Amino acid sequence: MAVLDILGIPDNTSITQAAMDMDAGGLAQIIFADPAATPASGELGRSGSTLYYRITDARTATTTRALGIIADTTGTPAASIGVGMLFQAESADEAPADFGALDFVASDIGAGTEDTYASVLLRVAGRALDEKYRLSSTAGDGFAALLTHAVTADRTYTLPDETGAILTDTGHNVAAAIHGLPASVNVLGNRDAAGEFVQRATTDPAALAGASTFYTGGAISPTFAVAFSTTPYVAWGGITDAFIMGAMVFSVTTTGFSYRMFGTTDTQDASGGRFIALGV
Amino acid sequence: MTILSEVGRGLIYAGDTPLALTIAVEQTWPMQLTVRAGSFTSTGQARIRPYDPPIHAALLASGKGELLADGKRIRGWIQDKTGAPRDIAKRYTLAADRTIALTSDPTRPVAYAVDLLGQGAAADVFVKRRIVGVDLFGSPPPGWKALHGLVYEFILPPGLTDVASVEVFVLTVTPGFPPGTGSDDWTTQTGGA
């Protein structure tokens, strides 16, 4: 097929015109030659495989949008109206084959309340392009995500199929966030290298101060009201005297136990202690 | 001497266990106690479960469990890691009476307590005596193990010649549960100590 000249102008002819609209009603394609150089400012041209539109201005710290795409409507716009760009290459059986699309879509087209989102559409298993990622604004305040990486291998992050918060570096060191615990619930302890759970607590003062003499009395051996079938757990406490420091429970059996109190004076009222035994 | 047993101080219901005691303690002279011949049966270590014949038949046949008197529950002896029962209830017999001579100290209080000891199927008593604030109670003789307290610690005032005024608490075992209660009522026990 012969290549027809535009308006009868021979190939490789330069036309210089200060202002010109070209309205070729039957124009089907524009064919760009490859001068192997990028076009000058204001020019549209091919260099190698790439088509360029170049604009050169005097800005230093602003962004110039060198290319614009408009897809407006003669109808009445509604939410989900958008504009996008299709990217195609070739697959085994399709030429061209859709590889991806980038759409910008309105979620709100109200006057003065417009919200839009960017949608990345990709193919999965040969199916048609489908939205896989969406970066959306949220009613004006917006959402910003910066994804940077310098990895040497693929990294996969699978997000749960639920709505929730993702910890940030202002939130990751919060115990409640780590453990998922409600307020007023505390966790004490850590695991050591061998997997053994180790309890640890900080006491105040850190070191015992002064020298105290401790007194202890004879062993007391209460019996249970009813015998247990297995040796129960026994805890002792409840004494009100401020000088009784505690008691050591020992010799626990199915029928009773022994305990020995100790304190800082030897004349205190040691009565009133209580025990609880748990067993079957 | 007033010989007593109260809840928390010697009186205990056997509950679902085989615990039993027929050994009695009496005052037989002003400064003498007598422990009457009888037997003591320990509780062993067991779990009580509803009896389910398909599950528990082998346990019964092997002697690792036994049916309770109600026929609805089984007592399974707790087993060690080799599968052997760790502690099966055992009966110990005190074949003859034992007399215990009490002696006070002229100037210091003296504490006494009596334990039941076991060796094989035999039981004996172990009398513990110490000067309060000076001595500690001794240990059972070699070859015997302490089974249970029989007479709980009591104090003889200095120079005492008749223990009639002294309260002594002794072990008393009553079958079953306190009236109006059952096993579910006693998995958690509290008390003064």
Side-chain angles (χ1 to χ4, degrees), chain A residues 218-231 236 253-257 259-261 270-280, chain B residues 6-17 19 43-48 78 130 148 152-153 177-178 186-193:
Chain A
I220 301 172
S221 301
T223 49
F224 300 129
V226 176
F228 290 96
S229 289
T230 53
T231 304
W236 181 95
T253 70
T254 53
T255 56
F257 67 99
Y259 73 97
R260 192 185 297 274
M261 286 186 291
S271 63
R274 305 287 296 172
F275 72 84
I276 181 169
L278 306 174
V280 290
Chain B
E6 295 176 353
V7 171
R9 304 178 74 183
L11 175 60
I12 184 167
Y13 285 83
D16 280 329
T17 74
L19 183 67
T43 62
Q45 298 281 331
R47 292 264 192 260
I48 308 295
I78 294 178
R130 66 182 176 93
H148 208 287
Y152 295 93
E153 183 172 333
F177 292 91
W186 297 98
T187 55
T188 301
Q189 297 189 36
T190 58

Side-chain angles (χ1 to χ4, degrees), chain A residues 35-229:
Chain A
T38 52
S41 180
E43 293 181 354
L44 180 67
R46 173 182 164 189
S47 178
S49 299
T50 307
L51 182 66
Y52 295 93
Y53 170 70
R54 181 176 212 159
I55 186 71
T56 303
D57 58 22
R59 74 189 186 286
T60 57
T62 57
T63 298
T64 293
R65 298 187 180 104
L67 202 61
I69 299 174
I70 301 171
D72 50 6
T73 178
T74 58
T76 302
S80 297
I81 191 171
V83 58
M85 185 175 287
L86 176 66
F87 298 88
Q88 294 181 312
E90 182 174 349
S91 67
D93 64 335
E94 299 174 20
D98 291 348
F99 274 26
L102 178 61
D103 292 351
F104 293 86
V105 184
S107 55
D108 182 346
I109 48 79
T113 62
E114 293 89 344
D115 295 323
T116 63
Y117 59 88
S119 177
V120 179
L121 292 83
L122 302 171
R123 294 186 72 173
V124 176
R127 296 194 294 270
L129 290 171
D130 188 29
E131 182 184 54
K132 295 302 177 189
Y133 302 98
R134 178 184 292 193
L135 303 177
S136 62
S137 64
T138 52
D141 288 337
F143 161 82
L146 175 62
L147 305 177
T148 62
H149 69 103
V151 299
T152 56
D154 288 349
R155 308 294 183 199
T156 300
Y157 300 91
T158 303
L159 298 177
D161 186 18
E162 334 183 307
T163 299
I166 297 176
L167 295 179
T168 66
D169 47 356
T170 57
H172 77 277
N173 200 28
V174 178
I178 295 173
H179 296 289
L181 299 175
S184 303
V185 177
N186 301 303
V187 172
L188 173 68
N190 62 282
R191 292 182 60 178
D192 70 3
E196 181 183 356
F197 189 83
V198 179
Q199 291 193 351
R200 183 173 59 187
T202 300
T203 58
D204 186 17
L208 295 176
S212 296
T213 299
F214 273 77
Y215 296 85
T216 183
I220 301 172
S221 301
T223 49
F224 300 129
V226 176
F228 290 96
S229 289

Side-chain angles (χ1 to χ4, degrees), chain B residues 112-167:
Chain B
Y112 271 96
V114 181
D115 287 348
L116 272 176
L117 301 182
Q119 186 181 65
D124 205 342
V125 296
F126 176 51
V127 180
K128 300 188 291 189
R129 181 181 188 273
R130 66 182 176 93
I131 305 292
V132 175
V134 177
D135 301 328
L136 296 175
F137 283 144
S139 301
W144 292 83
K145 70 173 182 177
L147 299 178
H148 208 287
L150 181 65
V151 178
Y152 295 93
E153 183 172 333
F154 61 95
I155 305 293
L156 299 184
L160 189 73
T161 56
D162 187 338
V163 294
S165 60
V166 177
E167 288 188 340

